[in-house]
Amino acid sequence: MSWTRGLPGALAVCVLLLVAAAGCATGEAHGQRGAGSPSPVGKILDGTDESGRHYRELDRKQAPEVDTVVTPDAAGGWDVRLDVHRFRFSPAGTAAKAVVGRGLAYLFVDGGLVTRLRTSAYHLPAGLVPHGTHHITARLYADDGTVWAVHGKPVESTADVTASGAETASPSAWGGERGWGAAPAT
């Protein structure tokens, strides 16, 4: 066999090897089309929260839950504890993608955003909850910024608290309603 007849055959083998390697890298080899990318999580709804973040619908069996518990502290402020189920807080720097049961909580006082939480505890200074009755709401978000939702309602919990100026004398706790878009407790 001459060298010139072997060159086209050698080039054909090289091209086949490159194509096969590319197919393996994308997961198309062995019938696993798309194995390299995660499947979509939930369904993105048209509905949004107050800041325009879309709801990400999950069925009730998959959806996280949150319960908001607010207690007065000795210095006149308020301790907020979030009891979560089927949910883990993501650390700072987590990739901006939705993973079932992962994310962060936004904490609102009377509808105004106070902070984004990556832990289940937070201290509200007394100045954020002045004299009167207030609604403390925790809402769960995926790491991509979408709002976890069930039946078109955000996964959130609201606790009503009444600040009278004598909070340090009362050791009682106020628990919120757990649920998916639960109405404030009365």
Side-chain angles (χ1 to χ4, degrees):
M1 172 166 116
S2 78
W3 187 84
T4 56
R5 281 193 315 183
L7 182 60
L11 287 175
V13 169
C14 288
V15 168
L16 286 174
L17 287 173
L18 287 173
V19 169
C24 289
T26 63
E28 291 179 12
H30 310 295
Q32 297 177 358
R33 178 174 221 109
S37 63
S39 62
V41 175
K43 176 184 175 188
I44 302 295
L45 303 178
D46 290 333
T48 64
D49 69 359
E50 304 81 16
S51 63
R53 295 177 181 273
H54 283 276
Y55 293 159
R56 181 177 294 275
E57 180 83 19
L58 292 175
D59 66 45
R60 184 168 283 206
K61 292 176 188 171
Q62 275 188 305
E65 296 177 0
V66 61
D67 189 26
T68 306
V69 178
V70 182
T71 56
D73 75 356
W78 301 86
D79 291 325
V80 178
R81 186 182 80 243
L82 304 181
D83 293 331
V84 294
H85 306 276
R86 293 187 299 276
F87 186 80
R88 288 190 344 225
F89 290 96
S90 298
T94 299
K97 69 178 187 174
V99 176
V100 175
R102 297 294 305 246
L104 60 153
Y106 285 26
L107 189 66
F108 301 90
V109 174
D110 296 329
L113 179 63
V114 172
T115 191
R116 292 170 183 89
L117 298 173
R118 295 192 178 272
T119 67
S120 62
Y122 185 74
H123 176 77
L124 276 172
L128 290 178
V129 186
H131 184 77
T133 300
H134 303 278
H135 309 292
I136 314 293
T137 302
R139 183 178 301 151
L140 300 182
Y141 289 75
D143 289 315
D144 68 351
T146 56
V147 183
W148 291 118
V150 174
H151 300 300
K153 300 198 182 293
V155 175
E156 64 183 24
S157 172
T158 299
D160 287 351
V161 298
T162 300
S164 65
E167 282 70 40
T168 57
S170 172
S172 61
W174 293 271
E177 259 185 63
R178 177 186 310 153
W180 302 278
T186 55

